[in-house]
Amino acid sequence: MDASDCDVASTNWTHWHGIPWQDAHQVVGRLQARIARAAKAGDWRNVRRLQRLLTRSLSAKALAVKRVTENQGRKTPGIDRQTWSTPDEKWQAVGTLHHKGYKPKPMRRVYIPKANGDRRPLGIPTMRDRAMQALHLLALDPTAETTGDSHSYGFRRERSTADAIEQVRNALGRKHSPKWVLEGDIKGCFDNIDHEWLLAHVPMDKGVLRKWLKAGYFEGNTLFPTESGTPQGGIISPVLANLALDGLQSKLAELFRTVREARAAKVNFVRYADDFIITGTSRELLEERVKPLVQEFMRERGLELSEKKTLITQVTDGFDFLGWTVRWQGRMLLTRPSGKNVKNFLEKVRGTLREMRTARQADVIDKLNPVIRGWANYHRSQMATRTFAKTDHRIWQALWRWARRRHPNKGERWIKARYFRRFDGRDWRFAEKDKALTTLTSFHKKPHVKVDGSRNPYSPEDEDYFDARLARRMASDLKGRRKLAWLWYWQEGLCPCCNQKITKATGWHIHHVIKRSNGGSEQMSNLQLLHPNCHRQHHANE
């Protein structure tokens, strides 16, 4: 069965809300599974044929438009100042995703602040170019997942920073684990990847890839060409960077002639995007054998290691990785939020309070709660209890200064009575009526189960494994929300409209089968969880 057989029903589509998303997902999912299977078998001719079928499928084009009109950047235009916000604009956009005569526009260059005070350049493609990248990503990602390093965790489906730090613990957390680490830092990774290397090794349409790489960018009214690097800000950029860096793990495995020699060296590799560490039994091993291999690997791709930031460190001295400090202390390996990460978090809290000097207390609570909750959830899988307690105190000090600054003529007792009170059995909570600021110490440690690196989210054989992981994750996310948890499990985690998974990332909407205006009740039997887009489509088609 080819794409034309799969897409027969799509010829009857006439408008955006008339697209049967369940059918579209099935068409694309079947082709992606076949691409992954062909890539695993090394049948690259079949991979190219299937990718071509997928990128010309109307179902895939519809899903590409859906993705770029629902993500966080949907309201950010490129140089043409266009966004697709209405159903008619989205439907017309599907028809523009053709390859014949396609020429991407230059990106709009903006700068975003970095944690160290510098600015990171970011290119914003037009909506059409974003959709074309999303379309080709549907065909490229199954291959990237199949051939990627097993211990690469950045910008990959079903993988996260928590998986990366757990693998670090696996590599360094035992009594006889290696005690030396090479901390890798690549100079401007996304900006310097060699275009010719990408064109020779990335398994996708070379003509389209070349156009993206050479599209250039506008800064102000000046057009600048792009001679190296991936299109930062584009949807496909992280996968291109992963493909460029994949293979280092197998190169390290080939460094040793025998299994016995490899075991004695205790070389382990963990990578998240362009941050990586390599373990070893001695400084000499990492300096004389491992580092030259890494430098040669990077040189082939137009990259180089930063001599200043690429360090060889003893684990007893500790090192920072992905916002955690990893250090062997006493008889155990400690993984705690790094001092730099804590400092940046507190600066964000204090900056928010400075910006909201005259805001209502309830608005301050609403603004800060997601920030605190997000930071706590990021770190709660590691040893953060003591750090949480200390950081809570510093947040309280910032809140006290905020309150004192607002009322310089009032006494401390009055300020405490006005802004701080007993809430949920604890005194001195920053609270107003039934609303209180979340505390970090209310987040208890939640151990993370690392993903099996050999599993592939595009392989039908691994579907049950990832379903079980999603169920455990949602059970944690929905803890204390009994109605949502019951509906999610009753529906087996699937949206009844498109038959796709409902996750924290996709979001959800509680739908009344019989409208309340028509006498529908709040009973569970009258409720469903739908994706936001599916909910809008349902009401548009009524």
Side-chain angles (χ1 to χ4, degrees):
M1 180 174 63
D2 62 18
S4 59
D5 297 324
C6 297
D7 248 6
V8 167
S10 66
T11 57
N12 299 321
W13 300 352
T14 58
H15 60 286
W16 181 253
H17 285 312
I19 298 174
W21 293 109
Q22 180 174 345
D23 295 344
H25 280 288
Q26 286 179 351
V27 168
V28 172
R30 282 196 292 265
L31 282 170
Q32 287 179 319
R34 292 170 66 188
I35 291 170
R37 193 157 48 242
K40 186 176 182 180
D43 187 357
W44 297 106
R45 183 176 181 181
N46 197 27
V47 167
R48 289 191 295 272
R49 183 182 69 84
L50 292 168
Q51 286 180 331
R52 182 180 175 86
L53 289 174
L54 193 151
T55 56
R56 282 151 179 79
S57 160
L58 191 59
S59 295
K61 293 177 181 179
L63 289 178
V65 173
K66 182 173 183 286
R67 173 170 180 172
V68 301
T69 55
E70 291 183 4
N71 61 16
Q72 289 186 342
R74 63 189 181 275
K75 296 180 180 178
T76 306
I79 62 168
D80 60 357
R81 300 295 175 182
Q82 291 183 3
T83 57
W84 302 331
S85 55
T86 67
D88 286 341
E89 289 173 338
K90 295 175 187 178
W91 176 245
Q92 291 170 10
V94 173
T96 67
L97 301 186
H98 46 75
H99 295 70
K100 188 175 181 180
Y102 170 65
K103 184 178 180 181
K105 287 181 166 54
M107 294 176 289
R108 181 166 65 91
R109 173 64 64 94
V110 297
Y111 291 89
I112 55 176
K114 295 172 65 175
N116 60 7
D118 293 337
R119 297 192 305 165
R120 184 194 304 279
L122 185 69
I124 302 177
T126 64
M127 291 296 291
R128 187 191 178 204
D129 292 335
R130 272 178 259 176
M132 284 293 284
Q133 289 188 23
L135 175 61
H136 282 269
L137 181 58
L138 290 171
L140 179 62
D141 202 41
T143 304
E145 283 292 337
T146 304
T147 61
D149 291 338
S150 59
H151 295 314
S152 162
Y153 298 96
F155 304 117
R156 295 181 64 180
R157 279 185 59 182
E158 308 297 339
R159 300 188 181 212
S160 66
T161 52
D163 292 308
I165 195 66
E166 286 300 325
Q167 182 58 28
V168 171
R169 292 190 61 81
N170 289 344
L172 298 173
R174 296 175 177 83
K175 182 179 179 181
H176 299 292
S177 295
K179 295 297 185 286
W180 290 89
V181 168
L182 169 68
E183 304 173 61
D185 186 272
I186 305 172
K187 277 187 182 178
C189 177
F190 286 86
D191 291 327
N192 296 312
I193 300 175
D194 183 61
H195 283 179
E196 296 307 315
W197 190 95
L198 288 172
L199 290 166
H201 294 88
V202 173
M204 66 168 288
D205 187 310
K206 309 297 184 185
V208 173
L209 177 58
R210 182 180 292 277
K211 290 176 182 177
W212 285 336
L213 295 176
K214 303 297 184 182
Y217 63 89
F218 268 105
E219 188 168 348
N221 295 321
T222 306
L223 175 63
F224 294 89
T226 45
E227 301 301 333
S228 63
T230 60
Q232 283 197 63
I235 289 174
I236 206 168
S237 298
V239 176
L240 294 178
N242 269 341
L243 286 167
L245 297 175
D246 280 333
L248 182 54
Q249 184 176 325
S250 58
K251 286 281 187 183
L252 290 167
E254 296 168 3
L255 187 61
F256 305 99
R257 296 178 182 177
T258 65
V259 175
R260 185 175 182 178
E261 186 184 3
R263 287 177 177 172
K266 298 181 181 178
V267 171
N268 299 284
F269 172 77
V270 184
R271 179 170 70 83
Y272 188 92
D274 59 340
D275 292 325
F276 65 90
I277 65 155
I278 303 173
T279 69
T281 51
S282 68
R283 173 184 287 275
E284 291 73 26
L285 171 72
L286 295 175
E287 185 71 52
E288 298 171 8
R289 300 190 65 184
V290 171
K291 188 175 178 181
L293 182 144
V294 175
Q295 289 173 325
E296 177 60 28
F297 178 88
M298 296 298 170
R299 196 176 298 117
E300 292 174 0
R301 291 150 175 78
L303 301 171
E304 62 177 317
L305 295 177
S306 168
E307 289 298 327
K308 184 179 179 181
K309 297 181 180 179
T310 299
L311 308 173
I312 296 177
T313 310
Q314 199 164 17
V315 180
T316 51
D317 294 331
F319 63 93
D320 288 354
F321 187 61
L322 302 177
W324 288 288
T325 293
V326 182
R327 177 183 285 112
W328 185 273
Q329 189 170 323
R331 295 183 177 181
M332 64 188 301
L333 186 75
L334 303 181
T335 48
R336 296 170 171 166
S338 69
K340 182 178 179 181
N341 191 271
V342 173
K343 180 180 177 181
N344 291 337
F345 168 67
L346 287 172
E347 278 301 313
K348 187 172 184 179
V349 171
R350 292 164 182 154
T352 300
L353 291 174
R354 282 194 295 271
E355 292 171 2
M356 303 186 75
R357 291 187 187 94
T358 59
R360 296 186 307 127
Q361 184 181 10
D363 293 336
V364 173
I365 293 172
D366 288 339
K367 183 76 172 180
L368 286 180
N369 270 346
V371 176
I372 294 172
R373 194 179 300 117
W375 193 78
N377 282 326
Y378 184 87
H379 288 291
R380 68 188 301 191
S381 66
Q382 304 306 307
M383 302 168 179
T385 303
R386 186 174 296 179
T387 304
F388 280 2
K390 291 179 180 178
T391 309
D392 261 342
H393 179 63
R394 292 182 182 179
I395 292 173
W396 180 88
Q397 288 177 321
L399 292 169
W400 181 255
R401 287 193 296 270
W402 177 86
R404 287 289 302 271
R405 194 181 301 118
R406 289 162 68 91
H407 305 283
N409 299 323
K410 297 291 186 181
E412 293 181 351
R413 289 179 180 273
W414 185 94
I415 291 173
K416 178 189 182 299
R418 170 65 178 80
Y419 292 104
F420 300 88
R421 63 187 182 86
R422 192 169 185 81
F423 193 92
D424 283 346
R426 182 176 170 182
D427 205 4
W428 283 94
R429 289 286 299 275
F430 189 73
E432 183 181 43
K433 298 180 181 177
D434 60 344
K435 187 179 292 187
L437 189 71
T438 300
T439 58
L440 292 168
T441 49
S442 65
F443 292 85
H444 303 293
K445 183 173 181 179
K446 183 175 73 171
H448 178 79
V449 179
K450 191 186 82 69
V451 68
D452 184 343
S454 65
R455 303 283 188 167
N456 187 342
Y458 292 102
S459 172
E461 294 81 12
D462 294 329
E463 188 173 343
D464 290 342
Y465 172 80
F466 287 109
D467 284 349
R469 284 182 63 83
L470 175 62
R472 287 196 299 270
R473 191 163 63 246
M474 290 298 289
S476 174
D477 291 340
L478 299 178
K479 189 175 182 180
R481 306 165 78 177
R482 296 174 62 184
K483 180 184 287 188
L484 288 174
W486 190 91
L487 288 171
W488 195 89
Y489 280 104
W490 179 257
Q491 296 175 196
E492 298 182 346
L494 299 175
C495 171
C497 290
C498 67
N499 206 39
Q500 297 301 300
K501 293 294 182 184
I502 295 175
T503 68
K504 189 175 181 180
T506 65
W508 55 75
H509 193 100
I510 297 180
H511 168 67
H512 292 77
V513 178
I514 301 175
K515 290 182 179 180
R516 283 173 292 182
S517 58
N518 293 336
S521 69
E522 293 289 340
Q523 297 295 320
M524 292 293 189
S525 58
N526 191 48
L527 301 178
Q528 288 180 332
L529 283 185
L530 305 181
H531 289 130
N533 182 70
C534 294
H535 187 253
R536 289 191 295 270
Q537 183 184 46
H538 174 83
H539 285 293
N541 290 333
E542 281 184 329

